[in-house]
Amino acid sequence: LLLTADGSRMRGNGVGSVDVDKYLADRSTRSTPTAIPARRDNSASGFAAEFKANVGVGELTYQYGHRNFNIDVDSSLGSAPATSESKADFKQDSHELRLASNAPGPLQWVGGLYYFKEKSVSDFDVFGAAPVGDGTLRWHQDPINSESTAAFGQATYAIRKELRVTGGLRYTKDEKSRQGTYQEFGFPPSLNDAAVTYEQTNWKAGIDYDVSPSTMLFANVSTGYKAGGFNDGTSATNPDLYYDPEHLTAYEVGVKGRFLDQRLRTSASVFAYDYKDLQVSSVGASNTLQTTNAAKARIFGGEAEGRFAVTENGTLSFGLGLLSAKYDEYEPLAGVDWSGYYLDKSPKGTISLGYTHNWYVGEGAIITGFLGSRYSSAFVVSDFSTATQYAQPGYSKTDFNLTYSAPGDKWFVQVYGKNLEDKSVISGYNFNTFTLAEPRLFGLRGGVKL
């Protein structure tokens, strides 16, 4: 039986946001003057339990988790004086019960049940959104409920010692509901009231083959789904209140291996993802976020990664990714065809390289140093409401850390740096505003085992 508890609090400035036009005119701009300074005071806490027991026919595992998350954020929404205030409270509980085979033999299996429930309350207000009425937009939701129940099973059978086949099924039922109000520019509030239920059975099939004791080939095909939901309003006021689940079929073929006397460990694969009823969100005419099943998309790619022990104490890590992610069918606006356009945040190529070195100093203490960089080619971020794609040029991001671990790992202290190039990188778009990834950061952290 393992019991854990945790808590955290994050204060300071909120996520960087900047007006689109000002940022495109000067990409060194990281913020837009606002009527109020950005601020956040978020907190999270939780506890979990994991119980394992050998019950003869297999190993029984039960996992329980409870999470609380509180949001209190003020931030800019583009040009001054548009600002927003967000307050929300989330409570989650999850249960998972699994039984897995633990006896030797050609058949290995696992089966289980899963249940998740979340209840939340959310208030989101926008001030100075337009010179109409009092200029405010308000979304007050209480309660927002989400439940997910699932049953799953997977089995692997060794036809021969070096050849194995795998099959799996998962049944999922999702239930969501929401009550609240939406208010625009001081006019009387409109009711938000909706509830949905979705059921889906997904499957997986795979095969893997040991070419040698140190090299394995594998191939998999699987399906997945993302539950649908609802937009603002009611069935009487919004004809597009509900949107359907998103469906995915994924294919992957690859190889994993250990070479050069186990000093080199690598894996490589090619994959294809086929999306149907892709969920796409945009700001509608009434300043509300509308999600629709607007698109079909296909993603093709390949990736390779590995680790090479350069010396007894030094390891080189590397990675390469290639991607083609495009819409098959999509019209963000009537008469505007985005077939063949790239999906958001999908760079054609990424490369990463890093080096880790350990120095053993006195009676079991270790100093570990890491220096690594990742390059991403250009990608796009979309404003679906105006059918506009904005380009984020290619960039590199270099990080380092240096850690001292006391003998027996009783305590550690670390200094670190992130985004040493201090590149401005677009991470999202909303309401004519770009959100930006973190700037250059330096920090100090530590930990202790009691």
Side-chain angles (χ1 to χ4, degrees), residues 128-164:
V132 178
D134 62 2
T136 62
L137 301 171
R138 301 182 185 273
W139 291 266
H140 292 185
Q141 318 298 339
D142 183 9
I144 308 170
N145 294 312
S146 177
E147 290 188 46
S148 183
T149 306
F152 57 89
Q154 182 170 301
T156 298
Y157 182 75
I159 300 174
R160 299 197 304 266
K161 181 179 179 181
E162 69 277 10
L163 179 63
R164 297 164 297 275

Side-chain angles (χ1 to χ4, degrees), residues 265-276:
R265 300 190 177 198
T266 63
S267 64
S269 66
V270 293
F271 56 87
Y273 295 159
D274 186 6
Y275 283 94
K276 294 181 180 179

Side-chain angles (χ1 to χ4, degrees), residues 231-247:
N231 297 301
D232 283 312
T234 66
S235 56
T237 61
N238 185 355
D240 299 315
L241 179 65
Y242 298 108
Y243 55 91
D244 295 328
E246 179 179 292
H247 298 278

Side-chain angles (χ1 to χ4, degrees), residues 151-384:
F152 57 89
Q154 182 170 301
T156 298
Y157 182 75
I159 300 174
R160 299 197 304 266
K161 181 179 179 181
E162 69 277 10
L163 179 63
R164 297 164 297 275
V165 292
T166 297
L169 288 173
R170 180 185 182 94
Y171 165 80
T172 306
K173 180 179 181 180
D174 290 306
E175 300 175 88
K176 300 180 180 181
S177 64
R178 181 274 325 274
Q179 292 182 331
T181 59
Y182 161 66
Q183 188 172 6
E184 184 176 13
F185 306 135
F187 295 106
S190 300
L191 185 65
N192 280 343
D193 189 1
V196 293
T197 299
Y198 299 102
E199 298 180 67
Q200 183 73 30
T201 299
N202 294 111
W203 54 267
K204 174 183 178 179
I207 184 171
D208 51 79
Y209 176 68
D210 296 333
V211 180
S212 70
S214 61
T215 306
M216 182 186 76
L217 301 176
F218 65 91
N220 297 305
V221 58
S222 59
T223 64
Y225 105 113
K226 178 181 178 182
F230 34 73
N231 297 301
D232 283 312
T234 66
S235 56
T237 61
N238 185 355
D240 299 315
L241 179 65
Y242 298 108
Y243 55 91
D244 295 328
E246 179 179 292
H247 298 278
L248 167 67
T249 303
Y251 309 86
E252 184 180 20
V253 177
V255 58
K256 297 180 180 180
R258 302 186 299 272
F259 309 97
L260 303 177
D261 294 329
Q262 311 267 350
R263 293 174 61 194
L264 175 63
R265 300 190 177 198
T266 63
S267 64
S269 66
V270 293
F271 56 87
Y273 295 159
D274 186 6
Y275 283 94
K276 294 181 180 179
D277 298 320
L278 189 68
Q279 296 170 4
V280 181
S281 300
S282 61
V283 179
S286 60
N287 297 295
T288 63
L289 195 66
Q290 289 278 111
T291 300
T292 59
N293 300 98
K296 294 182 180 180
R298 291 187 182 182
I299 298 175
F300 301 96
E303 57 186 9
E305 61 182 8
R307 296 172 63 86
F308 177 63
V310 181
T311 67
E312 184 177 351
N313 299 325
T315 302
L316 185 70
S317 57
F318 56 88
L320 170 67
L322 301 174
L323 193 66
S324 174
K326 298 180 179 181
Y327 293 106
D328 275 356
E329 300 175 10
Y330 180 41
E331 287 191 0
L333 296 176
V336 179
D337 185 6
W338 271 17
S339 300
Y341 279 50
Y342 272 86
L343 273 65
D344 278 21
K345 304 177 188 177
S346 301
K348 295 180 181 179
T350 57
I351 300 174
S352 62
L353 187 66
Y355 180 73
T356 303
H357 198 92
N358 295 320
W359 293 272
Y360 296 90
V361 290
E363 300 184 359
I366 302 175
I367 296 176
T368 302
F370 169 80
L371 177 64
S373 187
R374 179 181 182 274
Y375 173 78
S376 169
S377 65
F379 57 82
V380 297
V381 175
S382 299
D383 174 7
F384 299 101

